[in-house]
Amino acid sequence: MDHDIFLVWLNETDNLSPDQRAEASRILSGSPSLQAVVDLLEAKVREDRICPHCASEGAIIRGHASGLSRFFCKGCGKTFNALTGTPLARLRHKGRWAEFAASLRDGETVKVSAERCMVARTTAFRWRHRFLRAVTAGAIKLRGIVEADETFFLSSRKGERNLDRKARKRGGKAAKRGLSEEQVPVLVAADRSGTTISAVLPAVTAAHLQAVLQPLLDPDALLVTDGCTSYPPCAAAMGISHESLNQTAGQRVRGELHIQTVNSRHERLKTFLRRHRGIATKYLDSYLRWFQLAVIPKHQTPRAILAAAAGILPISRHA
C-alpha cells in the first residue's frame, strides 16, 4: 500500500466503534481469512437479530455447529447460522475456502483449483459459481470523462446436451463473417480514475446501453465512444454530454478524448477468458464478475474475495 494512502487509512481508524476496533485487532493479529469473514457475518447477525427464513427480529444464540454460532428464531422456530441465505451456505470443506479464494485471485482453471484445494473438479466448479453469485458492484458512479465501448464474444452453448446445430470443437468459429446473432456484446465503461464496469448486453441498441449506463453515470459526465450510432441517442436520452471518435478514419485521440482505457480492458478480459478454453454464454456474466473481482483490482486478497462471496463487501472497481 502507498504510504500516503496508509496514513489516510490510519487516520480513519479514529472513527471506529469499539466493536469495529476489536474486529480490526483480530484481523491485524493474523486471524485466518475465513474466520475473519465469519466473524463479520456473525457480528452483523448479532446486531440485526433478523431471521433469514421469516424476517422476524429477536433471534438468540443457541450453541455452535460446524464451527459457527447457531441462532434460534422465536418467530418460526428455525435455526440458522451466519452463512444461511448466502451462496456459501451448505458448502463443505470450509477450511479450504481461503485457498480457493486465492485460486480465484490467481485466475486458475477448474482443474488447477481442484488440485490446489484437494477437492473434486465438480466441487471446484460449483464453488466457483457459488462464490461469484453474491458478488455485487455496490454503489458506484462513473465521473468526469467516461469511456465506453463494446467487445464481442462468440455465443457458446458449451455443456448443453440437446443442440439444434452441429457441436463446435474448441470454441470454433462463427458461421457468418462480422457481427451477427452469433456474437454476444459486452459493454465496458471506465472513467479516468480507473473505476470500471462491465455488462452483457442483449443487443447494442440505445435502449440497452441506457439501461446499463444511466444508473452509473454522473449527470455531469462526458461520455466518449467510437462511432457506433447507438450512443448519440442513448446520451441524449440520459441528458449527458457525448463525444465520438471516428476510428474508421484513424481518429484515435482528440485532445484528452480517447477510448484506449476500455480497449485495454477488452484485451485484459479476453486474455483472462482465453485461459479457460471457452465458456458457456450462460456463465459469461459470472466470469465478468470474476474479472471485476480479481483481475482489475491490484493486490486483491483472499479475505476480500471471501467477503465479496459472502455478500458483505462490494467488489473494487479500480485498476
Side-chain angles (χ1 to χ4, degrees), residues 10 28 31 35 105 178 203 217 240 257 267-269 287:
L10 201 60
L28 293 174
S31 177
Q35 189 57 50
R105 176 198 59 196
L217 288 183
I240 63 170
L257 308 182
E267 182 58 34
R268 290 177 64 186
L269 174 60
Y287 279 80

Side-chain angles (χ1 to χ4, degrees), residues 37 86 95 200 252 268 307:
V37 172
T86 76
V200 178
R252 305 290 179 182
R268 290 177 64 186

Side-chain angles (χ1 to χ4, degrees), residues 238-250:
M238 293 188 293
I240 63 170
S241 302
H242 171 249
E243 293 286 346
S244 62
L245 300 172
N246 189 351
Q247 294 192 314
T248 304

Side-chain angles (χ1 to χ4, degrees), residues 152-169:
F152 294 85
F153 295 91
L154 184 63
S155 176
S156 171
R157 295 167 65 183
K158 181 178 178 180
E160 291 189 26
R161 297 295 183 184
N162 301 308
L163 296 176
D164 53 6
R165 58 168 173 77
K166 185 178 179 180
R168 297 194 298 255
K169 293 185 178 179

